[in-house]
Amino acid sequence: MRYSRGMWFRLCLLLALVHVNAPSAQPSKYDPGADEKKIEIGLRSTVPLEVVWAAWRTRFTPSKRWDQPLRNALQTAAVPQRTTEQESLIQFLLDTLIRSHISVPMGELLPLYDAYPDAVLALIAQGDDHNDGQLLPLLIRAERENNAPRWLL
C-alpha cells in the first residue's frame, strides 16, 4: 500500500495527540522532549512535523510562557499558498493556542477566519484585544454563516 506524505504527517500528528508511549518505540527525531531550548528551536523550524512536536510539548512545560513563540509559529505557517501539511499544522497550532488559553490579537486572527472560523472566534472570545470596529462585523458575519460546514477542534 502506498502512502502520501500528507498521510504520514496526519499519522504522526495523531500519535502526538494521543501520546503513544510504547516502551520499545523509538522516539521521533523531531520530538524535543521537555528541553525548552529545543522546543523554541522546533517552533521556529520550517519543518511542519518539527513545529507540531514542539507545539505539543509546550503543553507539558508550563514553566515558560509560550505565547509569542506559538503566535510566531502560526504566522509563519499561515502563508497564502498552503500545503496539506501546513493546513494541518495551522489547525494544530490553533488548537494548542485555544487549549493553552493564549490571547492572540484580532489582527493576527482575522486573515485566518475564512478557513478556520470556529477556532478564530474561540481565540477572539478568550482574548482581551477586542476592537469593536472589527469585532461587530465579524460576529454578524459568523451569525449569518451559522449553518456553514466547518472543521471542529
Side-chain angles (χ1 to χ4, degrees), residues 5 8-13 15-16 26-58 85 89 92:
R5 286 182 50 198
W8 280 114
F9 180 77
R10 286 190 290 277
L11 177 63
C12 291
L13 182 62
L15 291 175
Q26 292 289 331
S28 168
K29 70 178 184 177
Y30 298 115
D31 185 3
D35 185 338
E36 291 183 1
K37 214 41 151 173
K38 288 182 180 178
I39 292 171
E40 284 183 46
I41 292 168
L43 288 173
R44 290 191 305 261
S45 175
T46 57
V47 178
L49 194 53
E50 191 170 356
V51 179
V52 166
W53 272 104
W56 182 69
R57 285 295 184 176
T58 63
E85 287 180 346
L89 172 60
F92 192 84

Side-chain angles (χ1 to χ4, degrees), residues 81-139:
Q81 300 296 326
R82 296 189 273 264
T83 65
T84 304
E85 287 180 346
Q86 287 169 317
E87 290 287 341
S88 298
L89 172 60
I90 291 170
Q91 290 176 357
F92 192 84
L93 288 169
L94 289 169
D95 181 64
T96 300
L97 289 165
I98 291 168
R99 291 174 187 262
S100 302
H101 303 285
I102 293 175
S103 179
V104 181
M106 277 186 68
E108 294 177 22
L109 294 170
L110 290 178
L112 299 171
Y113 179 80
D114 288 332
Y116 314 102
D118 296 324
V120 167
L121 290 174
L123 283 165
I124 288 172
Q126 75 184 24
D128 53 8
D129 175 37
H130 298 131
N131 179 338
D132 292 336
Q134 293 175 320
L135 184 58
L136 185 58
L138 184 65
L139 292 175

